[in-house]
Amino acid sequence: MFRGHRVIGVACVLALAACAPAGTASRPGPEAPATTAKAPDRTPVPSGPPGVKPRKGEVRPIPRTGDLPPVISSIPTERKVVFLTIDDGWEQDPGFVQQVRDQRVPITAFAMRDAVEAKGTPDESGGPARFVGAGKWGYFRQLRDAGVPVENHTLTHPNLRLLGYPAQRREICAAAKLIGKEIGTRPTLFRPPFGNYNTDTLRAAKSCGVSAVLLWTATVQPGGKIAYQVPDKKLRPGDILLLHFRPNLARDFRILVNKIKRRGYELGDLQAYLAAARPR
Ligand SMILES: [Zn+2]
């Protein structure tokens, strides 16, 4: 499948993906040598955990939701820890990868195909863009190499509530398969566009190998400003924050991380916390 894909005429796209961000052209991408997708362009990741891990007994279990994946907006903990997630993938500033790699900041990316591959018009709320689709999936391989899990955010960013089960399933399963091929690991987390979902979404997600559906408790606006979904406008233990791959992400991210630390919060390892919160 992977070899066939190359042969039928998207080699230029894959070549771009491997080479586009400045400073990475000399590194071989997974598709550069004629080997399999399992020969990743991994650079050494500094040792040490990228985010705090849960203490024993710290996290309360998330209630079971039948046999469907749980829908999670925050992690049930009393510890002052929050989690950073970044969606879509339009703007692909190489400076941000560098920042994540150098500062060991724990983030989870939710990649959406049309954004990553720059098919269509990006969200312009962050200002003029410079790196739209610059590295395509190569950008997400760089994030992966910096320790970032790359999870599922559909192919085309539809309002899933307006789609029937088969169309929802295609959006989720095809994106999971694509991420598996491009990144080397199939995603197990799913974030529905706009936070819109219904029971068909959960059934479809389950059939595509999704173990949890991730929502959020606050969004981060340009300038690093946090827009809370609660009236008292405070960070709360276990909050999941939503950012987007927008212009000026590196600057906004720095402001945000400083703000979180000033308020006495740590940044958590989302995957470790989800594992600790798994329904029992
Ligand atoms: Zn999105």
Side-chain angles (χ1 to χ4, degrees):
M1 172 86 195
F2 182 74
R3 293 176 63 86
H5 198 62
R6 292 170 64 203
V7 169
I8 58 174
V10 289
C12 55
V13 172
L14 291 171
L16 264 178
C19 318
T24 62
S26 61
R27 284 208 341 235
E31 60 279 345
T35 54
T36 67
K38 295 218 175 227
D41 54 342
R42 290 192 185 279
T43 49
V45 173
S47 59
V52 297
K53 302 264 196 299
R55 303 182 181 110
K56 200 166 187 320
E58 177 197 327
V59 184
R60 296 187 301 280
I62 289 165
R64 195 170 271 291
T65 44
D67 59 352
L68 294 175
V71 179
I72 298 169
S73 304
S74 64
I75 299 291
T77 175
E78 305 301 321
R79 184 176 181 178
K80 290 182 82 173
V81 59
V82 296
F83 304 89
L84 302 179
T85 63
I86 311 191
D87 283 13
D88 299 341
W90 293 106
E91 176 75 355
Q92 301 185 349
D93 179 354
F96 179 66
V97 179
Q98 193 68 38
Q99 193 176 17
V100 169
R101 189 185 290 134
D102 293 350
Q103 298 175 14
R104 305 288 290 138
V105 185
I107 62 171
T108 299
F110 287 88
M112 190 268 282
R113 181 199 62 189
D114 284 1
V116 176
E117 299 182 2
K119 294 176 178 168
T121 312
D123 164 18
E124 288 178 3
S125 58
R130 284 180 59 205
F131 301 102
V132 174
K136 302 233 172 12
W137 288 103
Y139 186 75
F140 282 78
R141 284 190 283 274
Q142 291 183 352
L143 285 170
R144 171 202 68 193
D145 292 347
V148 176
V150 179
E151 303 289 355
N152 187 346
H153 192 43
T154 73
L155 295 175
T156 69
H157 213 269
N159 178 353
L160 292 172
R161 279 195 213 139
L162 303 179
L163 301 182
Y165 176 80
Q168 291 204 38
R169 191 168 184 278
R170 180 179 138 66
E171 282 282 348
I172 303 169
C173 283
K177 191 174 171 192
L178 177 64
I179 291 168
K181 180 174 79 87
E182 295 287 356
I183 303 299
T185 308
R186 234 180 122 101
T188 57
L189 302 179
F190 174 65
R191 171 166 280 161
F194 318 106
N196 287 342
Y197 69 96
N198 57 21
T199 308
D200 279 346
T201 315
L202 304 183
R203 287 175 51 226
K206 186 186 177 200
S207 79
C208 308
V210 169
S211 64
V213 171
L214 259 284
L215 301 180
W216 59 91
T217 39
T219 57
V220 180
Q221 306 300 326
K225 185 174 159 36
I226 304 174
Y228 300 92
Q229 296 190 333
V230 288
D232 64 1
K233 303 203 181 301
K234 276 188 186 156
L235 281 178
R236 290 160 187 270
D239 271 353
I240 297 173
L241 305 187
L242 164 62
L243 294 89
H244 290 91
F245 287 95
R246 282 184 176 136
N248 298 317
L249 177 59
R251 182 202 66 191
D252 292 353
F253 197 73
R254 209 163 20 245
I255 296 170
L256 174 73
V257 169
N258 287 339
K259 191 183 288 185
I260 289 169
K261 293 194 168 161
R262 268 202 316 275
R263 294 182 187 181
Y265 278 80
E266 298 176 282
L267 298 171
D269 177 332
L270 179 60
Q271 283 63 25
Y273 269 83
L274 284 171
R278 188 162 293 144
R280 293 190 262 272

